[in-house]
Amino acid sequence: MLDRPIEEFLRDRGLRATPQRVLVVEALMDASHPDVETIFAYAQARQSTMSLATVYNVLDKLRAAGVVMVLDFHGRRYYDLRVESHDHVRCRNCGRLDDILRDPNTRLIRPAAHPWVIEDQSLVWQGLCPVCQNGYSHA
Amino acid sequence: MLDRPIEEFLRDRGLRATPQRVLVVEALMDASHPDVETIFAYAQARQSTMSLATVYNVLDKLRAAGVVMVLDFHGRRYYDLRVESHDHVRCRNCGRLDDILRDPNTRLIRPAAHPWVIEDQSLVWQGLCPVCQNGYSHA
DNA sequence: TTTTTAACTAATAATCATTCTAATCTAGGA
DNA sequence: TCCTAGATTAGAATGATTATTAGTTAAAAA
């Protein structure tokens, strides 16, 4: 993967294109829904002075800029470069997360990687509860 | 709420009916998807010696016995007495969680409490990924 | 009912993920 | 090239959860 496109990607979104940020985005492209530990390992292998705090800082900037979405499982956070609302499959054994792709034509729903054994499904809606509908906007 | 039914409820599931466990189950019935802090506050108000560690221990016992399910949001855990697979609404402002009830006849999906403003929905499937299908069973 | 025992409780310490702090550095505009 | 707001760094601090351990108790056996 070339460096130039990622730096442009960042600047296009009003973010300074530091080497650390490029590495974090690379890590996000390299793995499926990595957690902080995975991203840190990727970046530190390529820049030994990389700090864990920087990974957290960068991920929070990316989230605030609408570049990544955050998923919570088992008290850990996982990051996904796809920010449009979409769905996930999770392995109950190893915790692996994949996207579920919806076919816009057939409306069929199918997992991104085929041979998953699906045991359970649950829907999570998000919005504003009755109490919070009176003039709030922050999460 | 009477004590007797909860104690029977616990014993029916092979769990010893200690006063602490009864308080935790009461707390779970009292609030919608409480977190550990909420359960602890409820129990400690009624038994001042209640320990936070006991709340964690009891919740884990209840989970292992299939009495509660655990939900992860924002690095925190929320507990639900309903263990059958079902769906949730979450308020992006205050974090409140409610169950979504499905009508088994009409298959209509509607939130338990009416006037929620729904802004997003996402599906989470759980199962076994391709790698983990070769002789695993533990989560 | 009394005894026995395995299971439970609770205080503390330990761990893990995440956030904060304060000093230093740098990307990008002037 | 210089300037400076913003970014990075290392380490300390926080907060939720888990582990340890000694003492306690519920429930089964006698």
Side-chain angles (χ1 to χ4, degrees), chain A residues 108-127:
Chain A
L108 217 63
I109 296 175
R110 59 177 203 281
H114 302 86
W116 282 74
V117 173
I118 305 300
E119 299 169 337
D120 183 60
Q121 69 176 60
S122 69
L123 196 59
V124 179
W125 287 352
Q126 186 169 271

Side-chain angles (χ1 to χ4, degrees), chain B residues 1 3 6 8-9 12 17-19 24 37 39 44 47 49 60-61 65 78 87 106 120 128-130 135:
Chain B
M1 179 64 69
D3 289 318
I6 295 180
E8 282 175 12
F9 170 88
D12 285 350
T18 68
V24 169
E37 189 188 341
I39 296 167
Q44 205 183 37
Q47 186 201 306
T49 64
D60 195 57
K61 278 281 169 187
Y78 300 86
D87 308 319
T106 65
D120 183 59
L128 285 172
C129 75

Side-chain angles (χ1 to χ4, degrees), chain A residues 72 75 85 115 119-120 126 133, chain B residues 72 75 85 115 119-120 126 133:
Chain A
D72 279 70
S85 174
E119 299 169 337
D120 183 60
Q126 186 169 271
Q133 281 168 40
Chain B
D72 278 70
S85 175
E119 298 168 339
D120 183 59
Q126 185 169 272
Q133 281 168 38

